[in-house]
Each structure stands twice: as C-alpha cells, then as structure tokens.
Amino acid sequence: ITWTKQIKAVLKQDPEQALKDGQDPTPDVELTFWRHKANNLNAIFDQLQSPRIRRVLRALDLAKSTYCTTFSRLCKEVYTARLEANDNVKFLRTLEDWFDKLSSAEDFPACEDLFKPMLHVVLLIWKNSRHYNTPARLVVLMREVCNSIIEQACNYVSGETIFQKIDAEETHLAVVEIKTLLRVCGSFKATYKEYKRTADAECPANQWRIQNNALFSRLDAFLERCHDVLDF
C-alpha cells in the first residue's frame, strides 16, 4: 500500500506546480521536470516487470483480491504516463540549446534573434508530439520562457543602474536602454502571435486556443513598470 501511494505521488507530479506555488521557473525547469518524471516512471515500470512483483500479482489474482483490479489499473496508468514523459523529454530536448542560449545571453538585444527559431521548434513539437500539444503544456512553457526573458532583461538594465544614470545626468542612455528592453520583449510577443497564426492555419483541429493574459500576464506587468519609469 505504501508503494502504491508512492507511485500515485509520482503520477500526480505536475509541471505547473512551481507556477501555482508563486515561483518564476525558467524553461530549463520544464525539461528537468520531465526528465525526472520519466526516470521515476521508467524505474517504477522496470520494478513492475520484475519476477517478484509478477508473483505477487499472480497470488493476488488467485486469491481473488479486490486489490488486484486496483493495482492493475495503476499499472496501466504508469505505462501511459511513462510513454508521455519519455515522449515529452524526446521533444523538449530539441529546445534545450535555445533555452541555454536565452538563459546565458550576455547581449540582451541579441535575444531577439532567438525568438523565431525557438518558436519554430515549439510549433514543430506541437505538430509532431503525441502529448506535448495541449494548451496546458503550451501555457506552462511560454510562461517559463517569459520568466527567462524577464530575468535577462533585469540583468540588462536594473532599477539601480537606471537611477545611477539619472544621477550622472545620463538620462538619455537610461531611456535608450529601457526602449531597447521594451522592443525586445515586444518582439517576443509579436513573434508568438505570428506563430500562433501559423499554428491555427496549419493545425485547424488543434489550434493555439489560449488567451494572451494566460501567457503574458507577468511579462505585461513587467513592461508596464518599464513604461512607468519612462513616464517618470
């Protein structure tokens, strides 16, 4: 029974949990999550295939135990979830280099060059994956990409450096940096909308039916604060 509870706990693991908990995970966390879940489910699956467990199941079946049906159902859930997790890892790995480039970019304006190829891969995943092609999956991934962009934007220009430039009578430089930040972030949103139109046209049976505020609420709040600084 304890082992059954542990299996159910693994099955219930949700990539959206960090967002629900008020954290701001970046997209590398998504790949790490699915790798971890896949490893756990693969290990559980191997144990379920072991001679020892098969003997236990046979004994339960012979004894006509009601637990046998419950456990068989759980085994099927493990099998299905394992296929999904491994499939998600396979497809998300194709984004790993783009995630790394975004998170390690030293030139924030150059991040703009990453958006089209990254979203092109996201669209390919949507079209070819058997599992990573639902609004719930896309929402989590895009919110995490937004978090990474915000993180890089803050590295590029912080409130402290802005006010240092103002104090040094270099307000014009601060304005240029903020406008650059707004342009790059706006470019990501525009690129997403471009690929959404492509997805809707090429996948009429499975369009990107997601409200913008579900994806960009934190990024929009960040951009609003930047506009406030410009107005100041």
Side-chain angles (χ1 to χ4, degrees), residues 119-179:
L119 284 163
H120 179 69
V121 176
V122 170
L123 178 57
L124 289 176
I125 291 172
W126 183 271
K127 292 165 74 172
N128 293 286
S129 173
R130 289 172 295 174
H131 303 282
Y132 212 88
N133 59 355
T134 64
R137 294 286 174 259
L138 187 61
V139 165
V140 170
L141 187 64
M142 289 299 98
R143 287 178 66 184
E144 290 173 337
V145 171
C146 286
N147 288 337
S148 193
I149 293 170
I150 292 170
E151 191 174 285
Q152 289 301 95
C154 291
N155 290 335
Y156 172 66
V157 54
S158 66
E160 182 180 355
T161 58
I162 290 295
F163 288 110
Q164 283 175 352
K165 284 183 171 63
I166 292 172
D167 289 341
E169 297 184 355
E170 296 177 339
T171 303
H172 63 289
L173 295 178
V175 168
V176 168
E177 288 181 346
I178 295 173
K179 286 185 175 180

Side-chain angles (χ1 to χ4, degrees), residues 37-202:
K37 186 165 185 175
N39 289 339
N40 284 339
L41 289 169
N42 288 334
I44 291 169
F45 181 78
D46 289 343
Q47 291 178 51
L48 292 174
Q49 301 304 305
S50 69
R52 176 172 169 269
I53 295 298
R54 292 199 169 277
R55 284 196 299 271
V56 171
L57 288 174
R58 276 197 299 272
L60 289 171
D61 190 36
L62 289 171
K64 300 191 185 308
S65 170
T66 54
Y67 184 70
C68 189
T69 303
T70 303
F71 196 75
S72 294
R73 191 183 305 119
L74 187 64
C75 290
K76 290 178 182 177
E77 288 180 31
V78 168
Y79 179 77
T80 302
R82 171 178 171 267
L83 289 179
E84 178 186 5
N86 285 316
D87 195 62
N88 288 350
V89 170
K90 180 180 75 174
F91 281 98
L92 284 171
R93 267 180 15 214
T94 62
L95 282 164
E96 189 167 16
D97 284 346
W98 298 110
F99 294 161
D100 289 344
K101 287 176 182 177
L102 181 59
S103 65
S104 62
E106 295 182 1
D107 179 20
F108 179 69
C111 289
E112 203 168 354
D113 298 331
L114 303 176
F115 300 153
K116 280 197 174 184
M118 184 189 301
L119 284 163
H120 179 69
V121 176
V122 170
L123 178 57
L124 289 176
I125 291 172
W126 183 271
K127 292 165 74 172
N128 293 286
S129 173
R130 289 172 295 174
H131 303 282
Y132 212 88
N133 59 355
T134 64
R137 294 286 174 259
L138 187 61
V139 165
V140 170
L141 187 64
M142 289 299 98
R143 287 178 66 184
E144 290 173 337
V145 171
C146 286
N147 288 337
S148 193
I149 293 170
I150 292 170
E151 191 174 285
Q152 289 301 95
C154 291
N155 290 335
Y156 172 66
V157 54
S158 66
E160 182 180 355
T161 58
I162 290 295
F163 288 110
Q164 283 175 352
K165 284 183 171 63
I166 292 172
D167 289 341
E169 297 184 355
E170 296 177 339
T171 303
H172 63 289
L173 295 178
V175 168
V176 168
E177 288 181 346
I178 295 173
K179 286 185 175 180
T180 299
L181 183 157
L182 291 170
R183 189 195 77 237
V184 173
C185 294
S187 173
F188 175 70
K189 293 180 65 177
T191 305
Y192 168 82
K193 290 174 183 176
E194 175 187 336
Y195 276 89
K196 181 184 185 304
R197 287 192 294 272
T198 302
D200 291 351
E202 296 182 2

